[in-house]
Amino acid sequence: MSEELVIRIGGETGVDVAPDLWGLFFEDINTSLDGGLNAELVRNGDFEFTPLDHPEWGPLTAWTVEGAGSVALRHEDPIHPNNRTYVRAVGPVRLVNEGWDGVGVEQGRSHVLSLCAWRVFGEGSLRASVLGGGAELADAALEVPPGGWNELTVSLRGRVDGRGVLAIEIPEGLTVELDAISLRPAGPDGASLTFRPDLVEALAELRPSFVRFPGGCVAHGLGLANMYTWKPTIGPRHEREQIPNLWGYHQSRQIGYFEFFELCELLGATPMPILAAGVCCQNTRGGPKAIPAADMPAYVQDVLDLVEFADGPADSAWGSVRAGMGHPEPFGLRYLGIGNEDAITDDFRERYAQLEDAVRAAHPELTVIGTVGPAPFGRDWEDGWAFARERGVSIVDEHAYRTPRWFHQNVDRYAEYARDEPGVYFGEYAARTNTVRSALAEAAFMIGMERNSDVVRLASYAPLLARVGGTQWEPDLIYFDADRVLPSASYYVQQLFSQERGERLVAASVEGAEPVSVVLPESGSVRIASPGAEFELSDLALDGVPLEPVRTAADGAIVTFGDIRPSAAALAFTAVRRAGDKGLAVQLGGEALESRLELLIPNWTGLETVVNRYDDGIGNDDDGPTPWRSVVTGEPIRVRVELEGPHVRVWIDEVLQHDYAQDLRPEHRVVVGAAVRGAGDQTEHVVRIVNATGTPRAARLVLPDGARCAGHATVLAGAGPDEGASFTASPVLPVEVAVAADGSLDLPPWSLAVAVIGSR
């Protein structure tokens, strides 16, 4: 039976909706650029893969050699110092490239093949073909002229739709050197495409106000040598510096800064470059490293040169470079980010200040975005905010990968922020899974951000793209494979917010909905596992009762010690690792979808401990990570855990490692926000309603002075909270319904509705 909600829309609050609020964050993670957004069909066409990218990779990764001839790697006379490796092929031989899950061609469509070739001796033509299903899907011949490196281009027209391999055949009697082999679909004008069209279409449907790039952690890199600097990413593709990707693969940088700017223009979005703050990622082995002080002036100048490259006059030093690449007009840069999730160290503070001071002095028209660490709380967040206040930073970048419960508990987070302090860019967030539950939790929080547009100026979900079979992080907004685009439920949430935007906030209240209480479970158990290691556990006691010693197994099998009350329990044991290289996971509380705590000794870094909390089967760090000495095989570790109400205490070797209270604030599962756009007879109200409960609701929208509410609503609903998964398409799609003149609107369980109603 439906329960009625009365949603009362009031007058304007005097706060404008931030015009750039909803945008995109692109980072090359999950094979999202090469093999994804990059339209390139050839994998490793420059023969530049190395074990630094991935331990088992090398220059011939993705290539096979067929025939009686030979193929050898060469370095003596490269086409460019940044592209050192090429191959010498002695015919008869065939070089075959597998692409990403095959090389696909379309019937009747031209595909532009380009390569660099040097005819060493002999005569004959190269033959290029796409082979699949025992047939030639497309083919063309290429003549190699004498006289050093020559760039050759030819069109391959698809005979049928198909997927196979690209084969380059060298006939008997011809010896040729090859590099920079590329195959791209052609656009309507016959030129090769830069971006994969179906992915661009999916991004365009989000109507982003801005695009942040190139990262994320990719921007500041693992080590100074891996830092993403912009100048080596522009110019001819075969001259660009290729680097290992922080996420464990190769970056050809065929898509560099110029192409990122082009993508922003293609999407009608403001570019938002994010630059390293002179410090590499803190997860670098040995910790974060800073650019030496003597090198900082040159790095600062690189940042100023980027601004000139983006927006300088076509006759300026770097503006002329942009113009020479085919874009004399400026790209319209308004935002510039400095830093990403940095540890707030003295090195960071010094280098950030140099960069921000230089940008402020040279380009006061730009808004500089700072950073406040990787989490929405903790030491770096606190220190980052203190530093931002001290410097008067315009906007800081907050990140939050949290559980759905956290998002529902924190809907009003930004209502508590001071209005005379830096604004917020909520630059990376996701509610941990691709379920409907997570998508609606994000929607509820997004309403909270929009309601506080005088604090939150910008927001972007992350990560954006993920290739099925090449993913390092979940969840993601859009999955794809060679042929399909698979938007998630979260994608449609983002779409509903970005496609229907208000201009000015109005008051909105809801009657008939109460927050959902968060309580500790009444019962549970203690369980220990050690996947990847074997431990001997002795001196065991549960609630003061001694237990027999046990040995855990490396296969991750769970050992259960007994039942507890999660609000009043005590556990103690001594652990000694006897085999393997991993640690212990101690679970206290319920199982499956029930609430529980999980103590990791250590966490993934090997040098910290953390207490996670799981609700609805979805987990998050609840306290920590806290530095620790790590596990040493053969050395005992004494562990004590005490639970008292929400209070959690953990001692390791008699040192208090964790001491905190669990968050039991209620969850806001029914959330409403409203704004208006237009004026006079053209005024429209945009009303957003999240019903993240299992109960259908009969909503009634009430406008001021009894105005008619006729209009329409787009509703995202039709699946249970735990439906939806990574690598699959969304289980829910938006459906448009009518809003009656009296404001009545049915809200299904587990739904988001965005209503557009007139006031006259």
Side-chain angles (χ1 to χ4, degrees), residues 220-559:
H220 58 189
L222 278 179
L224 295 179
N226 192 234
M227 190 176 286
Y228 198 106
T229 53
W230 73 273
K231 288 179 180 176
T233 77
I234 64 170
R237 285 179 176 145
H238 69 272
E239 296 182 5
R240 298 182 184 186
E241 182 184 47
Q242 304 185 35
I243 61 173
N245 183 288
L246 174 144
W247 300 106
Y249 52 91
H250 185 82
Q251 286 179 281
S252 72
R253 307 222 271 195
Q254 290 182 354
I255 306 298
Y257 257 80
F258 182 77
E259 289 78 18
F260 281 126
F261 282 128
E262 285 189 315
L263 177 64
C264 295
E265 192 169 66
L266 192 62
L267 298 174
T270 294
M272 184 195 290
I274 302 294
L275 305 167
V279 184
C280 69
C281 180
Q282 58 264 36
N283 293 320
T284 299
R285 184 173 179 176
K289 296 177 175 61
I291 292 175
D295 296 335
M296 275 301 295
Y299 183 71
V300 170
Q301 188 59 51
D302 277 348
V303 173
L304 298 179
D305 290 345
L306 172 62
V307 179
E308 185 173 274
F309 177 73
D311 274 3
D315 59 356
S316 64
W318 286 101
S320 66
V321 175
R322 181 194 71 240
M325 296 180 73
H327 201 286
E329 303 82 10
F331 281 112
L333 189 65
R334 293 191 287 119
Y335 297 110
L336 188 70
I338 299 177
N340 171 75
E341 295 190 351
D342 291 273
I344 310 302
T345 63
D346 288 342
D347 282 341
F348 166 81
R349 292 183 182 92
E350 291 170 4
R351 284 151 182 79
Y352 177 92
Q354 290 182 56
L355 290 161
E356 187 183 50
D357 286 346
V359 173
R360 282 176 173 174
H363 297 284
E365 75 280 5
L366 293 183
T367 297
V368 176
I369 300 171
T371 181
V372 291
F377 50 78
R379 180 174 178 178
D380 287 324
W381 180 82
E382 293 169 358
D383 291 349
W385 264 103
F387 182 60
R389 293 184 186 104
E390 173 190 323
R391 287 196 53 81
V393 175
S394 296
I395 299 176
V396 297
D397 181 15
E398 289 193 343
H399 295 178
Y401 296 102
R402 313 301 299 168
T403 63
R405 173 167 288 179
W406 184 92
F407 282 98
H408 284 298
Q409 288 178 310
N410 284 275
V411 165
D412 293 326
R413 172 185 177 92
Y414 292 112
E416 301 172 0
Y417 277 44
R419 268 51 187 170
D420 58 351
E421 294 186 346
V424 171
Y425 167 35
F426 202 55
E428 297 184 32
Y429 66 95
R432 287 295 183 189
T433 76
N434 284 119
T435 61
V436 169
R437 182 189 302 278
S438 289
L440 294 180
E442 293 154 8
F445 193 86
M446 290 169 73
I447 290 175
M449 288 195 285
E450 190 171 58
R451 290 193 312 213
N452 292 279
S453 283
D454 49 346
V455 171
V456 184
R457 316 289 175 75
L458 309 149
S460 52
Y461 182 103
L464 179 62
L465 294 170
R467 185 181 183 90
V468 175
T471 303
Q472 298 83 46
W473 184 281
E474 300 170 45
D476 304 287
L477 199 65
I478 304 169
Y479 296 95
F480 63 90
D481 59 22
D483 302 301
R484 300 175 299 163
V485 177
L486 305 168
S488 66
S490 294
Y491 171 89
Y492 291 109
V493 167
Q494 296 290 324
Q495 187 184 75
L496 288 184
F497 275 76
S498 62
Q499 289 193 353
E500 295 289 3
R501 305 195 192 202
E503 297 171 349
R504 304 175 303 281
L505 292 171
V506 295
S509 62
V510 58
E511 300 169 8
E514 296 296 330
V516 176
S517 297
V518 173
V519 297
L520 297 173
E522 291 294 323
S523 61
S525 62
V526 172
R527 307 171 298 280
I528 295 182
S530 59
E534 296 179 11
F535 280 82
E536 286 183 359
L537 304 180
S538 60
D539 299 325
L540 279 154
L542 181 58
D543 290 336
V545 178
L547 302 175
E548 293 296 317
V550 298
R551 188 175 182 119
T552 65
D555 62 4
I558 294 174
V559 179

Side-chain angles (χ1 to χ4, degrees), residues 40 54 113 249 428 522 641 674 681:
E40 177 64 69
H54 192 79
L113 174 71
Y249 52 91
E428 297 184 32
E522 291 294 323
V641 182
D681 292 342

Side-chain angles (χ1 to χ4, degrees), residues 139-155:
D139 73 292
L142 298 95
E143 290 288 340
V144 184
W149 286 110
N150 292 275
E151 185 173 357
L152 310 180
T153 302
V154 70
S155 177

Side-chain angles (χ1 to χ4, degrees), residues 24-41 100 184-185 193-204 211 213 237 254-255 259-260 262-264 266-267 464-467 478 480-481:
L24 302 179
F25 162 45
F26 179 86
E27 176 169 15
D28 191 4
I29 184 175
N30 304 317
T31 323
S32 57
L33 201 52
D34 292 348
L37 188 60
N38 183 1
E40 177 64 69
L41 299 175
W100 284 269
R184 292 173 175 270
L193 293 177
T194 301
F195 302 110
R196 177 171 156 173
D198 55 353
L199 289 178
V200 171
E201 182 180 356
L203 300 183
V211 178
F213 62 88
R237 285 179 176 145
Q254 290 182 354
I255 306 298
E259 289 78 18
F260 281 126
E262 285 189 315
L263 177 64
C264 295
L266 192 62
L267 298 174
L464 179 62
L465 294 170
R467 185 181 183 90
I478 304 169
F480 63 90
D481 59 22

